């Protein structure tokens, strides 16, 4: 993999890592994206879903099985809506991972070279050099690095591929280059 990048592309200031583009490395990246982009909404949704489940449980203890069809319907509805709302992000993550498996580079190793001017990515699908200004935002999370192309589309590099402090350096490269 290292032979795909020329010696001029690697400078003293650049950070080079190798990362697998597979399900193991990208599992949970969608959750990190959701938490970063929609933290307040995710917390409100979580509280609303738990509230619906609790209301359904209270209604079930008080009215279920007493022959009142409307009360039974409302009880089941609260429990169902609370459950579906709570698992919805998990379903979105499954769809996101399914979309990744269709990518031509899936299952291969990608070499990233983060330099002050650009990000160079080399893999089985070819070599791509992307200037920092093309990234909308670069974010360090607990589990990895999110590099946003726009507000919804991102590239993910898992945190275990970086050495200590390198993710913060990559984020600062993006800030300086913008």
């Amino acid at each position: 993999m290292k032979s795909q990048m020329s010696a001029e592309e690697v400078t003293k200031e650049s950070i080079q890592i190798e990362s697998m583009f597979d399900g193991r490395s990208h599992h949970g990246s969608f959750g990190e994206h959701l938490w970063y982009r929609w933290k307040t909404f995710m917390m409100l949704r979580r509280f609303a879903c738990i509230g619906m489940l609790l209301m359904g449980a209270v209604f079930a203890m008080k009215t279920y099985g007493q022959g009142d069809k409307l009360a039974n319907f409302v009880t089941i509805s609260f429990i169902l809506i609370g459950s579906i709302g709570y698992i919805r992000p998990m379903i979105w993550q499954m769809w996101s991972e399914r979309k990744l498996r269709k990518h031509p580079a899936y299952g291969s190793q990608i070499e990233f070279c983060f330099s002050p001017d650009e990000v160079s990515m080399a893999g089985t699908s070819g070599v791509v050099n992307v200037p920092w200004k093309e990234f909308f935002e670069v974010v360090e999370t607990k589990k990895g690095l999110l590099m946003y192309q726009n507000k919804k589309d991102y590239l993910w590099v898992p945190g275990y591929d970086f050495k200590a402090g390198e993710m913060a350096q990559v984020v600062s490269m993006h800030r300086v280059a913008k």
Side-chain angles (χ1 to χ4, degrees):
M1 213 43 79
K2 291 189 183 212
S3 61
Q4 291 181 353
M5 295 185 142
S6 66
E8 301 100 40
E9 291 176 330
V10 180
T11 65
K12 289 182 183 178
E13 299 172 4
S14 67
I15 298 171
Q16 272 197 303
I17 63 162
E18 290 183 0
S19 181
M20 280 300 292
F21 179 47
D22 59 3
R24 180 183 164 271
S25 65
H26 281 68
H27 182 72
S29 65
F30 188 74
E32 291 289 314
H33 156 68
L34 281 180
W35 187 251
Y36 176 72
R37 276 278 169 240
W38 307 101
K39 185 184 294 186
T40 304
F41 176 72
M42 295 294 285
M43 292 300 291
L44 290 173
R45 182 198 50 80
R46 185 174 291 168
F47 289 132
C49 291
I50 290 171
M52 296 281 248
L53 287 170
L54 290 174
M55 286 174 46
V58 168
F59 285 166
M61 288 187 277
K62 297 220 182 238
T63 64
Y64 197 76
Q66 295 178 358
D68 187 0
K69 290 183 180 182
L70 180 61
N72 291 347
F73 175 76
V74 170
T75 299
I76 292 170
S77 296
F78 274 122
I79 293 171
L80 184 65
I81 291 170
S83 300
I84 290 173
Y86 205 69
I87 65 170
R88 188 169 141 192
M90 291 180 244
I91 294 168
W92 285 349
Q93 179 164 335
M94 288 187 308
W95 287 341
S96 173
E97 290 177 6
R98 182 173 183 249
K99 184 176 92 174
L100 286 177
R101 285 192 298 271
K102 293 179 181 181
H103 195 280
Y106 186 81
S108 66
Q109 191 151 358
I110 309 291
E111 181 181 317
F112 290 90
C113 181
F114 301 98
S115 70
D117 300 325
E118 65 186 7
V119 178
S120 182
M121 296 167 267
T124 57
S125 296
V127 178
V128 177
N129 298 320
V130 182
W132 282 115
K133 65 179 176 132
E134 295 297 319
F135 289 105
F136 176 73
E137 189 173 12
V138 177
V139 179
E140 177 182 5
T141 68
K142 292 178 188 174
K143 296 182 182 177
L145 187 72
L146 289 165
M147 298 187 304
Y148 284 96
Q149 299 156 346
N150 55 43
K151 282 192 173 194
K152 291 183 180 181
D153 299 321
Y154 61 91
L155 296 173
W156 171 257
V157 184
Y160 55 75
D161 290 337
F162 289 97
K163 293 177 187 161
E166 285 184 338
M167 280 197 291
Q169 288 177 333
V170 170
V171 172
S172 66
M173 281 182 198
H174 176 255
R175 286 188 186 131
V176 169
K178 271 201 127 168

